[in-house]
């Protein structure tokens, strides 16, 4: 495999580097300030031609190969700029399951950043066991009425729309009774409450209570009962590292820690360096497969486990190298603890690998 840039890719990379140099210091990279500025950063990236590069032109993208997204992630990490906002999972969900009218209405604003989105999946009693969710959507005429409670909802405090999973049929097996909706967050019957994380951040996640919120029936994504299928499309995309830029960010953090090591290199840092390089090569392989038209399905669970191990190794390296003396680097350790839970717990990923890849217990 040849991972060198083509002439067009090299020109794109050089233009991006120049633009990122001009943006240095304009956008915060951590804490509540980072999350509060995400919308502005999204629109700045899009306006400069560096967001939505691989998405369809008819909706505001550029129809470029996925390698351009990886170039953006790599250069953003090298420049120490804020991470690229993660919206690919929603674009993929709409592309696979939304009607043409729904795609034309919602994808342009999603891609250009003029409409903000959140994802209403997890609940206090149904995190990794997503099929056990209890939020309900009851049909009343041309609308559904929503009652329930979602948690760990990224951007819920600023979102205009929510891709919501709710139970529409209690009389079928739990996986089959779930439907997906596009719900306006600007209406009575919705209460958003921030969640303060152990790192001190309050802007990233929220919990959302739905008490009689309404959604037009034609804003159901897919057919009644398609919610589980849509959710699996979303989480499979979320679990693939090649589109998320984790590899470049981990590598930058390890190099930053190495420059801070005083004298002997801690064993944790050496191991983090090895694992980060392993992830970088794995991401390159996955990217090559994507360019060849290969889709991975349950193999995304392998990717998710690998990302978890690497992020937590880097977090431990940060703790071993600088301890609690650097708030930002200590924050990397604190945040890494969540990686084995978010996007599906490590235990869930191992079950998927065992049953759907290895065929155990079948």
């Amino acid at each position: 495999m040849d991972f060198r840039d083509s002439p067009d890719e090299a020109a794109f990379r050089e233009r991006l580097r120049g633009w990122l140099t001009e943006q240095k210091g304009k956008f915060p990279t951590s804490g509540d300030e980072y999350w509060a500025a995400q919308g502005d950063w999204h629109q700045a990236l899009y306006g400069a031609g560096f967001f939505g590069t691989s998405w369809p032109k008819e909706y505001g993208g550029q129809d470029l190969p996925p390698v351009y997204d990886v170039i953006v992630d790599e250069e953003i990490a090298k420049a120490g700029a804020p991470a690229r906002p993660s919206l690919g999972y929603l674009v993929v969900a709409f592309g696979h399951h939304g009607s043409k009218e729904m795609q034309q209405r919602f994808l342009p604003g999603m891609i250009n950043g003029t409409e903000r989105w959140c994802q209403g999946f997890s609940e206090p009693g149904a995190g990794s066991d997503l099929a056990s969710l209890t939020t309900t959507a009851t049909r009343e005429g041309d609308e559904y009425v929503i009652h329930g409670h979602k948690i760990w909802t990224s951007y819920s405090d600023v979102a205009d729309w929510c891709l919501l999973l709710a139970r529409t049929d209690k009389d079928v097996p739990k996986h089959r009774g779930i439907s997906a909706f596009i719900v306006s967050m600007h209406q009575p019957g919705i209460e958003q409450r921030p969640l303060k994380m152990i790192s001190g951040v309050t802007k990233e996640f929220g919990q959302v209570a739905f008490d009689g919120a309404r959604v037009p029936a034609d804003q159901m994504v897919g057919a009644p009962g398609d919610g589980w299928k849509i959710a699996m499309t979303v989480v499979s995309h979320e679990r693939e590292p090649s589109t998320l830029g984790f590899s470049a960010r981990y590598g930058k953090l390890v190099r930053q820690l190495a420059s801070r090591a005083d004298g002997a290199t801690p064993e944790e840092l050496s191991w983090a360096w090895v694992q980060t390089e392993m992830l970088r090569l794995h991401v390159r392989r996955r990217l090559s497969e994507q360019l060849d038209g290969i889709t991975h399905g349950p193999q995304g669970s392998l990717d998710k486990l690998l990302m978890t191990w690497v992020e937590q190794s880097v977090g431990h390296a940060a703790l071993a190298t600088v301890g609690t003396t650097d708030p930002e680097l200590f924050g990397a350790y604190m945040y890494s603890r969540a990686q084995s839970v978010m996007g599906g717990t490590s235990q869930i990923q191992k079950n998927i690998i065992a049953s759907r890849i290895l065929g155990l217990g079948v």
Side-chain angles (χ1 to χ4, degrees), residues 64 116 123 163 187 206 208 255 297-298 319:
L64 294 172
R116 306 291 302 279
E123 298 183 3
L163 178 62
Q187 62 168 302
V208 185
R255 290 190 294 274
L319 190 63

Side-chain angles (χ1 to χ4, degrees), residues 200-275:
V201 171
T202 62
K203 288 286 187 183
E204 181 177 359
F205 293 123
Q207 52 183 325
V208 185
F210 295 87
D211 184 12
R214 293 178 174 268
V215 56
D218 62 7
Q219 286 180 201
M220 177 185 286
V221 184
D226 278 355
W228 183 255
K229 179 169 60 177
I230 294 167
M232 293 304 97
T233 298
V234 168
V235 298
S236 294
H237 181 82
E238 281 185 305
R239 291 168 184 165
E240 290 192 4
S242 59
T243 55
L244 296 178
F246 283 116
S247 174
R249 294 201 292 277
Y250 297 156
K252 180 178 184 295
L253 184 54
V254 166
R255 290 190 294 274
Q256 185 179 355
L257 290 170
S259 71
R260 297 282 299 275
D262 185 13
T265 301
E267 181 181 345
E268 292 88 346
L269 181 54
S270 298
W271 182 233
W273 195 299
V274 171
Q275 287 212 325

Side-chain angles (χ1 to χ4, degrees), residues 174-186:
K174 60 183 182 179
H175 292 80
R176 299 179 185 174
I178 300 169
S179 301
F181 299 89
I182 300 170
V183 178
S184 170
M185 294 292 284
H186 303 301

Side-chain angles (χ1 to χ4, degrees), residues 15-344:
R15 184 165 64 87
L16 173 58
R17 284 178 178 172
W19 183 80
L20 287 170
T21 299
E22 295 172 0
Q23 307 309 307
K24 192 171 182 63
K26 292 183 180 179
F27 294 93
T29 59
S30 63
D32 277 345
E33 295 79 9
Y34 161 71
W35 293 104
Q38 272 262 302
D40 292 337
W41 177 236
H42 179 164
Q43 293 189 42
L45 280 169
Y46 181 83
F50 302 122
F51 189 85
T53 53
S54 63
W55 296 335
K57 277 187 177 179
E58 64 178 311
Y59 305 124
Q62 299 180 45
D63 270 328
L64 294 172
V67 67
Y68 284 85
D69 289 333
V70 176
I71 290 172
V72 171
D73 287 333
E74 287 178 341
E75 294 303 320
I76 280 177
K78 289 177 184 176
R84 178 168 59 102
S86 177
L87 276 175
Y89 60 92
L90 287 173
V91 175
V92 168
F94 276 67
H96 281 77
H97 303 287
S99 65
K100 191 66 177 180
E101 293 76 17
M102 196 171 280
Q103 292 168 0
Q104 291 172 338
R105 163 61 186 89
F106 292 109
L107 283 178
M110 184 186 298
I111 292 172
N112 66 32
T114 56
E115 292 184 320
R116 306 291 302 279
W117 284 76
C118 65
Q119 174 185 313
F121 282 20
S122 294
E123 298 183 3
S128 292
D129 186 14
L130 186 58
S132 297
L133 64 85
T134 59
T135 295
T136 60
T138 305
R139 184 75 181 254
E140 290 188 4
D142 293 332
E143 295 180 317
Y144 282 86
V145 181
I146 311 295
H147 290 275
H149 186 183
K150 299 294 181 178
I151 200 166
W152 307 120
T153 310
S154 302
Y155 317 124
S156 59
D157 60 332
V158 295
D160 302 298
W161 301 97
C162 178
L163 178 62
L164 179 81
L165 294 182
R167 189 164 303 283
T168 50
D169 191 341
K170 298 179 180 179
D171 298 323
V172 297
K174 60 183 182 179
H175 292 80
R176 299 179 185 174
I178 300 169
S179 301
F181 299 89
I182 300 170
V183 178
S184 170
M185 294 292 284
H186 303 301
Q187 62 168 302
I190 295 180
E191 181 184 357
Q192 194 280 333
R193 307 166 194 154
L195 285 172
K196 185 175 182 179
M197 294 192 292
I198 196 170
S199 62
V201 171
T202 62
K203 288 286 187 183
E204 181 177 359
F205 293 123
Q207 52 183 325
V208 185
F210 295 87
D211 184 12
R214 293 178 174 268
V215 56
D218 62 7
Q219 286 180 201
M220 177 185 286
V221 184
D226 278 355
W228 183 255
K229 179 169 60 177
I230 294 167
M232 293 304 97
T233 298
V234 168
V235 298
S236 294
H237 181 82
E238 281 185 305
R239 291 168 184 165
E240 290 192 4
S242 59
T243 55
L244 296 178
F246 283 116
S247 174
R249 294 201 292 277
Y250 297 156
K252 180 178 184 295
L253 184 54
V254 166
R255 290 190 294 274
Q256 185 179 355
L257 290 170
S259 71
R260 297 282 299 275
D262 185 13
T265 301
E267 181 181 345
E268 292 88 346
L269 181 54
S270 298
W271 182 233
W273 195 299
V274 171
Q275 287 212 325
T276 299
E277 181 65 8
M278 176 182 63
L279 180 63
R280 185 184 72 84
L281 295 173
H282 175 75
V283 166
R284 292 287 189 174
R285 180 177 62 181
R286 282 290 197 238
L287 176 61
S288 180
E289 291 171 348
Q290 280 188 7
L291 294 174
D292 289 338
I294 298 173
T295 56
H296 299 117
Q299 282 78 11
S301 290
L302 291 168
D303 298 340
K304 175 61 168 59
L305 272 183
L306 182 57
M307 284 191 290
T308 295
W309 293 338
V310 174
E311 179 164 340
Q312 293 190 342
S313 290
V314 173
H316 280 291
L319 190 63
T321 304
V322 299
T324 61
T325 60
D326 185 311
E328 187 167 343
L329 292 175
F330 181 62
Y333 164 74
M334 299 291 279
Y335 197 90
S336 74
R337 308 317 303 153
Q339 182 60 243
S340 53
V341 177
M342 68 171 93

